[in-house]
């Protein structure tokens, strides 16, 4: 395994069930507890683990949910606990039956890391950077470390994240790098931690502002996290100057279309400086279309597809790809030959396709977004809007749409004839429904 992020840790668990020895190589110094680290700078920003990802990780690590709660995580019923502003209005309360658990990314990673480190047959080495692949055109046989040492492996799994150097690594074996799609949406995050006290958000446990493009483009999230803290992230699409000082942060929050987050941070005690992240583009690498994939090497997680983080899909897709890796290995009698590798990339592409389309579809509602538009995007965005309008007035539509949004259910459930008819009927009512008072 190259990399001990969420993808690397989930995949290490999967491989541990199938191979006697799994070695995880991580460039960073790994901390003992839930501390942000250099190799994962996004860890300082809010990380929502979708319900699909929570379920996937709980299947890999039994007791995961309970552990997060014990460590100070907060369960959030998606329809009842989060004050959501979407499509230009505040959303009505309607329980969906889907609950997330809110913690910081370092906390989530610390739990996974402790679980993986304790597994017999898994060794985690930190401060070890991989510099290349060993092998030849058709077969990767191991990795070369930056010390020059070569480590042999039956299978190398590249979970080195968005900055993966696999193009160069594959190139040095004489292979063409995979094609790539990039959609530029100029997303930024500015994040600050605050002390959390009961009643800070009135009846709510979290707040979310998702702008309705093209009129609005500013987003916000306030999530309860361990240590009785709020993590508050402000951002948006095509932001030239993200707020980087406490004053600019307050000012930005005041311009949000819903006042709840600004009210929260005007009262709460700050516990950190403002941290800024820029995410210029979503990027997808088309390994499934590569002319040749060597046996013995797969890439997984952000190394394959790095989504606009505002939709919160990256960790869930990484966990689902890790599961797909195990399933594919089983179908191929655990022999990681070229056929297995190709099968895996096809499975990973199926996993990434829906979240990619919905994220990129959302991005193209903001003028200034550039890149290849998925086919049928206008119709898709229109129907997604109808589902959202209908969700406002029809709890069963909301429940089903939430299952799809949280990557629990496939998008095909939204297209069943009975459901689509109901959506179109209810959307007409939802569009005209009075907004929930603030
Ligand atoms: C601002 C921001 C907010 C986000 N919010 C969310 C969210 O709300 N929900 C969500 O699901 N996702 C979110 N994401 C995406 C999420 O962080 C990633 O999808 C997820 O971390 C994927 O993990 P990964 O393991 O593939 O990569 P990473 O987490 O980036 O891990 C890669 C690891 O590989 C190591 N590494 C790199 N190169 C080498 C090398 N040569 N040798 C050894 N080790 C190496 C790195 O040090 C690192 O530990 C967000 C991303 C950003 C930028």
């Amino acid at each position: 395994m190259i990399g001990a992020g969420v993808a690397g840790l989930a995949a290490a668990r999967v491989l541990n069930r199938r191979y006697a020895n799994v070695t995880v190589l991580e460039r960073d110094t790994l901390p003992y507890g839930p501390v942000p680290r250099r190799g994962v700078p996004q860890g300082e920003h809010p990380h929502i683990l979708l319900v699909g990802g929570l379920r996937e990780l709980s299947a890999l690590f039994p007791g995961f949910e309970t552990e997060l709660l014990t460590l100070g995580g907060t369960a959030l019923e998606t329809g009842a606990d989060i004050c959501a502003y979407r499509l230009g209005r505040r959303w009505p309360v309607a329980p969906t039956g889907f609950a997330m658990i809110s913690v910081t990314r370092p906390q989530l990673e610390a739990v996974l890391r402790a679980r993986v480190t304790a597994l017999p047959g898994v060794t985690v080495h930190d401060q070890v950077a991989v510099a290349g692949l060993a092998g030849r055109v058709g077969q990767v046989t191991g990795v070369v470390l930056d010390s020059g040492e070569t480590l042999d492996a039956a299978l190398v799994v590249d979970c080195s994240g968005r900055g993966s150097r696999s193009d160069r690594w594959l190139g040095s074996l004489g292979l063409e790098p995979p094609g790539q799609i990039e959609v530029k949406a100029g997303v930024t995050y500015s994040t600050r931690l605050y002390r959390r006290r009961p009643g800070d958000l009135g009846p709510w446990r979290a707040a979310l502002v998702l702008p309705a493009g093209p009129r609005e483009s500013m987003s916000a999230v306030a999530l309860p996290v361990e240590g009785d803290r709020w993590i508050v992230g402000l951002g948006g699409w095509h932001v030239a100057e993200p707020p980087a000082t406490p004053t600019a942060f307050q000012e930005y929050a005041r311009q949000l279309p819903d006042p709840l987050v600004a009210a929260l941070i005007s009262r709460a005690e700050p516990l950190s400086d403002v941290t800024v992240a820029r995410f210029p583009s979503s990027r997808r690498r088309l390994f499934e279309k590569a002319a040749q994939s060597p046996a013995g090497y797969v890439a997984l997680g952000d190394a394959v597809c790095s989504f606009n983080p505002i939709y919160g899909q990256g960790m869930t897709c990484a966990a689902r790809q890790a599961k797909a890796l195990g399933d594919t290995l089983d179908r191929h009698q655990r022999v990681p030959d070229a056929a297995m590798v190709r099968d895996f990339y096809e499975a990973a592409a199926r996993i990434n396709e829906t979240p990619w389309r919905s994220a990129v579809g959302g991005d193209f509602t903001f003028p200034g977004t550039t890149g290849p538009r998925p086919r049928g995007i206008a119709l898709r965005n229109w129907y997604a809007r109808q589902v959202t309008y209908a969700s406002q007035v029809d709890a069963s539509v909301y429940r089903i749409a939430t299952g799809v949004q949280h990557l629990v259910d496939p998008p095909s459930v939204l297209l069943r004839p009975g459901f689509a008819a109901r959506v179109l009927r209810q959307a007409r009512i939802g569009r005209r429904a009075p907004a929930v008072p603030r």
Side-chain angles (χ1 to χ4, degrees):
M1 309 292 320
I2 310 173
V6 171
L9 295 169
R13 178 65 185 120
V14 163
L15 294 192
N16 170 250
R17 288 181 174 161
R18 293 164 175 88
Y19 291 93
N21 294 306
V22 177
T23 306
V24 183
L25 305 172
E26 168 56 53
R27 191 171 55 184
D28 252 4
T29 303
L30 292 173
Y32 279 108
V35 184
R37 59 189 179 88
R38 245 180 60 196
V40 182
Q42 72 268 35
E44 300 206 41
H45 298 277
H47 267 62
I48 290 173
L49 179 62
L50 298 179
V51 178
L54 182 61
R55 291 186 183 177
E56 211 70 83
L57 290 173
S58 298
L60 287 175
F61 301 96
F64 178 64
E65 287 194 38
T66 315
E67 194 173 347
L68 292 181
L69 290 171
T70 309
L71 291 167
T74 303
L76 297 174
E77 214 287 347
T78 57
D81 291 331
I82 305 173
C83 178
Y85 174 93
R86 298 167 70 186
L87 281 190
R89 51 179 39 203
R90 206 177 259 191
W91 220 241
V93 176
T96 60
F98 290 105
M100 306 187 292
I101 298 176
S102 177
V103 290
T104 60
R105 159 72 189 247
Q107 178 68 82
L108 191 140
E109 207 179 283
V111 168
L112 296 179
R113 196 164 56 237
R115 295 290 195 103
V116 167
T117 310
L119 291 170
V122 178
T123 316
V124 180
H125 292 294
D126 67 352
Q127 300 176 46
V128 177
V130 171
L133 301 174
R136 51 191 182 278
V137 170
Q139 175 83 51
V140 168
T141 55
V143 294
V144 181
L145 307 184
D146 63 353
S147 61
E149 189 189 344
T150 298
L151 293 185
D152 294 335
L155 173 62
V156 173
V157 183
D158 180 355
C159 296
S160 60
R162 181 178 167 98
S164 165
R165 281 175 278 168
S166 60
D167 284 1
R168 198 182 330 149
W169 293 349
L170 290 170
S172 71
L173 297 183
L175 286 156
E176 286 279 309
Q180 183 173 295
I181 318 178
E182 194 167 18
V183 172
K184 295 186 179 159
V187 166
T188 66
Y189 269 64
S190 299
T191 296
R192 203 171 188 200
L193 292 162
Y194 293 84
R195 191 174 309 287
R196 178 161 54 95
R197 298 185 192 283
D200 270 348
L201 270 188
W204 309 104
R205 291 179 158 200
L208 177 70
V209 174
L210 268 182
R215 279 179 296 112
E216 304 165 339
S217 65
M218 297 166 79
S219 67
V221 64
L223 295 172
V225 291
E226 72 279 359
D228 293 327
R229 294 172 299 167
W230 292 108
I231 189 164
V232 178
L234 306 179
W237 282 256
H238 305 292
V239 180
E241 279 305 321
T245 63
T247 313
F249 196 78
Q250 285 271 4
E251 185 46 39
Y252 192 97
R254 273 197 287 271
Q255 292 168 40
L256 288 165
D258 188 288
L260 192 61
V261 173
L264 169 71
I265 65 175
S266 70
R267 290 190 303 263
E269 178 194 347
L271 297 175
S272 74
D273 289 334
V274 179
T275 310
V276 174
R278 289 175 190 273
F279 187 87
S281 62
S282 301
R283 197 187 293 157
R284 187 167 170 193
R285 307 177 69 225
L286 306 173
F287 284 94
E288 71 281 9
K289 295 197 172 142
Q292 208 180 357
S293 299
Y297 169 85
V298 295
L300 193 154
D302 276 16
V304 176
C305 189
S306 147
F307 302 93
N308 175 349
I310 284 181
Y311 306 103
Q313 305 179 123
M315 297 190 296
T316 296
C317 289
R320 294 188 67 201
Q321 287 169 53
K323 174 170 190 308
L325 176 61
D327 294 344
T328 314
L329 278 166
D330 292 347
R331 278 200 305 281
H332 288 259
Q333 286 74 49
R334 302 181 185 183
V335 178
D337 56 13
M340 176 265 149
V341 170
R342 181 161 284 277
D343 250 22
F344 166 71
Y345 284 135
E346 282 171 6
R350 282 193 295 276
I351 288 167
N352 291 331
E353 183 62 22
T354 299
W356 175 266
R357 277 173 179 268
S358 72
V360 164
D363 290 344
F364 275 112
T365 61
F366 300 96
T369 301
T370 57
R373 289 170 182 260
R375 245 185 299 149
I377 190 173
L379 181 61
R380 199 186 165 83
N381 281 352
W382 176 83
Y383 186 62
R385 219 163 248 253
Q386 306 316 304
V387 171
T388 318
Y389 281 131
S391 297
Q392 275 194 122
V393 288
D394 187 321
S396 82
V397 171
Y398 191 24
R399 204 167 41 246
I400 289 170
T402 303
V404 174
Q405 186 209 334
H406 278 263
L407 303 179
V408 173
D409 297 313
S412 54
V413 300
L414 301 178
L415 298 174
R416 287 185 189 144
F419 183 78
R422 184 177 185 135
V423 163
L424 297 183
R425 223 172 30 246
Q426 299 289 56
R428 260 182 260 132
I429 302 167
R431 207 178 307 123
R432 288 194 293 266
V436 173
R438 292 177 184 163

